[in-house]
Amino acid sequence: MNQNDLKKIHYYSGWFDEALPESYLESLRNDITERKSLVLIWGCWAGDELIDFVRDSWLAPGGITFDEYHLVDNRKTKEEGHKLIREASALLLLGGEDTLQAEFFKEYELSTPIKETKANIIMGFSAGAINMPSKCISFDDGKTTIYDGLGLDNFCYIPYLDRHDSIEKNLFPLSQEIDIYTTCSKSFIRVKNGEVAVFGNVYLISDSKMDAL
């Protein structure tokens, strides 16, 4: 682990339709060291309105503002996207269809610039959070797909535990290979130097056992 990795903090959560929880905002206010540019990474289709939503509904009400806001999606060239990501103060990986987003990450070769970004904060919401760790599991269209993620942390992450009704069938087999962190609505985890901090209702699934944290 190099010195740049030691400075990075990763947030994993589901989607928040309205405001971010105060606990999330308070943690962010303490963690963000630079507020020059926030880069949102999307990848499914064009969506400039997402900048307005993140800025005005999530961050600004908590007193968190940046000088510049950028969106990396399929309208940007690979080179433009890489430059924005590498120079960002913070990264935010948006929600959507997780496997489509993973395909975009692969097509645009985003794993390296995300890992090498100077940003000390990387936030993942819903699909964005699912795609951040080393292993991912998707249930799109009723089909279970396991694939490699960005590899920012060595576990699997699943949001919306309260919406899953087949934990033993869908998650226990994978938990024999890798730990799975899962959160309920309005909950999240924060990871720094491999240490996981829990906010709200969070569970660890490991070796086919599920424990509340």
Side-chain angles (χ1 to χ4, degrees):
M1 183 177 292
N2 61 42
Q3 287 301 113
N4 196 39
D5 292 332
L6 292 173
K7 299 176 183 178
K8 297 190 185 307
I9 302 170
H10 305 149
Y11 285 79
Y12 294 81
S13 73
W15 190 259
F16 299 98
D17 290 324
E18 298 176 355
L20 291 180
E22 178 54 33
S23 56
Y24 199 119
L25 292 169
E26 181 180 0
S27 186
L28 273 185
R29 286 192 292 265
N30 292 328
D31 286 340
I32 295 176
T33 58
E34 180 183 274
R35 300 189 184 185
K36 291 182 180 178
S37 69
L38 173 66
V39 173
L40 285 64
I41 305 177
W42 180 227
C44 295
W45 52 81
D48 289 326
E49 71 281 356
L50 292 168
I51 293 179
D52 296 336
F53 176 78
V54 168
R55 181 189 60 216
D56 300 334
S57 298
W58 280 359
L59 300 179
I64 300 171
T65 58
F66 292 82
D67 296 336
E68 299 177 1
Y69 299 82
H70 301 280
L71 178 66
V72 173
D73 59 18
N74 55 13
R75 295 170 298 176
K76 291 276 193 307
T77 66
K78 185 187 299 184
E79 293 72 23
E80 288 172 331
H82 285 202
K83 187 174 188 295
L84 287 170
I85 290 169
R86 289 182 188 277
E87 297 179 355
S89 304
L91 298 180
L92 192 155
L93 280 59
L94 290 155
E97 296 184 41
D98 40 23
T99 52
L100 280 179
Q101 188 184 70
E103 290 173 7
F104 173 73
F105 289 173
K106 185 175 181 180
E107 179 185 353
Y108 271 60
E109 300 177 323
L110 296 185
S111 176
T112 296
I114 288 174
K115 289 177 180 177
E116 294 179 352
T117 179
K118 72 173 189 176
N120 75 310
I121 299 290
I122 302 177
M123 297 166 273
F125 293 88
S126 195
I130 290 171
N131 284 320
M132 281 170 55
S134 56
K135 191 66 68 174
C136 311
I137 183 168
S138 169
F139 305 108
D140 284 347
D141 300 322
K143 179 183 177 182
T144 301
T145 305
I146 297 173
Y147 58 96
D148 293 333
L150 292 171
L152 303 189
D153 293 291
N154 189 33
F155 54 70
C156 177
Y157 172 75
I158 297 292
Y160 318 120
L161 176 65
D162 33 357
R163 301 182 192 176
H164 288 287
D165 55 7
S166 301
I167 295 170
E168 291 188 16
K169 176 183 177 182
N170 292 325
L171 299 180
F172 276 10
L174 181 59
S175 76
Q176 294 286 340
E177 303 174 26
I178 193 167
D179 287 345
I180 303 172
Y181 286 91
T182 181
T183 57
C184 296
S185 299
K186 300 182 179 180
S187 302
F188 65 97
I189 61 175
R190 171 188 178 275
V191 184
K192 183 178 182 181
N193 301 341
E195 297 294 325
V196 178
V198 171
F199 297 80
N201 297 319
V202 179
Y203 294 81
L204 172 62
I205 304 174
S206 182
D207 294 328
S208 298
K209 295 179 183 179
M210 185 170 71
D211 296 301
L213 299 178

